[in-house]
Amino acid sequence: MSVLPDSMVGWIVIAVLLFWFVGAYNRLVRLRAAVLQAYATLDAALRKQLDFVQASITAALPDKDASSHSSAVAPLQAATNQLATLLGATRLHPLDPGGMAALATALQVLITAWQRQHPDAVTVFEADGTLSRPAPLLPAGAGAASGALEPMAWPEPSAAAEIARGQFNLAVGQYNAAIVQFPALLVAWMVRLRPAAPLL
């Protein structure tokens, strides 16, 4: 029975460690890519909602001029602008926990502004901010005299946005769990993979 020389054993150990490192790295990279892909889907759904809100604001302006904001629509317009700005910033760094926290806050501000602008549509909001059930609509022009927007249901993309948010949060959870597991956390530390944050 032949015994492998020590140098051969050393090379075998190095080869095994190298294959393990590459496999662990590839898994972490796949999980990170899944988070980025899920965020892209979420970003698209949120942009559709922003387009809907902006269209409702434009329609409510007396002279149809989007640059002349009435006091009634100014808070909703400000919330829309804020969310659009943060979406743009988060799009560049979707794994940044600070950016995701700011985006979550901006989304809640927009939801609150929408609820205030459409008090009769508050019932369409779920506890988690979902706005997918139909809301009663006022007769055309009924809210024009007061300067308020007519109650409207949140657009159909809301269902897609909630699904996308759930998928994004799931992908973030799987990625975060993987980079703290031993021994994969050594790989994550070596290649500087940082935890991501869900959109709450």
Side-chain angles (χ1 to χ4, degrees), residues 34-139:
V35 173
L36 296 176
Q37 184 176 6
Y39 179 78
T41 302
L42 175 60
D43 177 69
L46 290 176
R47 278 184 285 145
K48 286 182 181 178
Q49 289 185 321
L50 276 177
D51 290 344
F52 172 84
V53 174
Q54 187 60 57
S56 75
I57 292 170
T58 302
L61 294 174
D63 58 0
K64 307 301 182 189
D65 181 1
S67 64
S68 64
H69 297 98
S70 70
S71 60
V73 298
L76 187 57
Q77 181 66 71
T80 303
N81 292 342
Q82 181 186 33
L83 183 59
T85 300
L86 286 169
L87 268 177
T90 308
R91 198 173 297 130
L92 299 175
H93 305 285
L95 299 180
D96 176 49
M100 195 56 62
L103 181 63
T105 300
L107 183 57
Q108 288 306 313
V109 169
L110 177 64
I111 289 172
T112 300
W114 181 267
Q115 287 175 322
R116 288 178 181 161
Q117 198 67 54
H118 299 281
D120 293 339
V122 171
T123 56
V124 305
F125 287 79
E126 303 288 356
D128 63 356
T130 306
L131 306 110
S132 56
R133 291 203 305 268
L137 293 173
L138 289 179

Side-chain angles (χ1 to χ4, degrees), residues 115-191:
Q115 287 175 322
R116 288 178 181 161
Q117 198 67 54
H118 299 281
D120 293 339
V122 171
T123 56
V124 305
F125 287 79
E126 303 288 356
D128 63 356
T130 306
L131 306 110
S132 56
R133 291 203 305 268
L137 293 173
L138 289 179
S146 65
L149 297 181
E150 296 175 2
M152 305 167 104
W154 198 257
E156 177 55 32
S158 67
E162 287 308 307
I163 292 170
R165 180 163 67 166
Q167 291 173 339
F168 171 74
N169 290 346
L170 178 63
V172 166
Q174 292 172 340
Y175 167 75
N176 285 346
I179 64 173
V180 297
Q181 289 176 345
F182 185 83
L185 66 87
L186 299 175
V187 178
W189 175 77
M190 290 177 67
V191 298

